[in-house]
Amino acid sequence: MLLCSSSALQRAWLEHELSCVYDRRKTPWLLAFMHAPWYNTNEKHQPGAELATARHKAALEGLLARAGVAAVFAGHVHAYERSTPVCFERVQPDGAAPTYVTVGDGGNRERLYDVWPYHRDAAWSAFRNGTRYGFGTLTVANATHARWEWL
């Protein structure tokens, strides 16, 4: 896939930033944040349908997994969904790929999205809910344990 110049610049920036994390004893947790989710089974937003999201995923997903990013948080979809560790659409063992969390259920004029037609084909989708407004908290206990809680 060809990358536009802005995607190439973003990839170069991300590669540089990830390369700065060379001592995982000092930086045990790597988290990424983005607007639109790469992994999502809600009908209201499919990554393949939005060209920019699909390009970013194709260009950057492998970088996040190789760097040891633990979790990727996104919004945009007005619902909650959490994945298993996943990379390139395949479930991975714990620690081998990020867990993707879509927590866009804080509310807006469009209301919640509760249409999940794609969930049967997504082995990586661990939990989804589009019926309640919510938010999440991440508590880091130490270098090996953290707790994500959706409220």
Side-chain angles (χ1 to χ4, degrees), residues 2-149:
L2 288 174
L3 297 176
C4 65
S5 61
S6 65
S7 291
L9 289 173
Q10 287 176 344
R11 181 182 173 92
W13 171 83
L14 183 59
E15 286 175 331
H16 171 74
E17 291 299 310
L18 292 172
S19 74
C20 291
V21 182
Y22 54 88
D23 187 348
R24 293 305 295 267
R25 290 172 298 170
K26 291 182 180 178
T27 312
W29 293 98
L30 282 179
L31 305 172
F33 299 85
M34 60 184 66
H35 178 75
W38 290 347
Y39 284 93
N40 166 60
T41 60
N42 197 290
E43 181 180 89
K44 296 290 187 173
H45 174 80
Q46 284 303 299
E50 293 193 17
L51 187 56
T53 302
R55 281 184 177 159
H56 287 130
K57 182 180 178 189
L60 305 175
E61 182 175 16
L63 289 176
L64 297 183
R66 284 189 299 278
V69 170
V72 179
F73 294 90
H76 188 66
V77 177
H78 302 283
Y80 174 78
E81 186 166 17
R82 180 179 62 345
S83 77
T84 61
V86 60
C87 187
F88 301 118
E89 305 294 326
R90 294 202 168 145
V91 174
Q92 303 293 321
D94 283 343
T99 294
Y100 287 81
V101 178
T102 300
V103 60
D105 54 339
N108 80 346
R109 63 180 165 75
E110 295 173 0
R111 302 190 182 240
L112 291 167
Y113 299 161
D114 193 32
V115 184
W116 309 93
Y118 304 103
H119 73 278
R120 288 179 194 88
D121 298 329
W124 48 260
S125 183
F127 183 82
R128 68 192 69 77
N129 187 299
T131 63
R132 299 184 316 197
Y133 293 104
F135 64 95
T137 62
L138 178 66
T139 305
V140 176
N142 55 40
T144 60
H145 290 80
R147 177 183 172 94
W148 165 255
E149 187 174 15

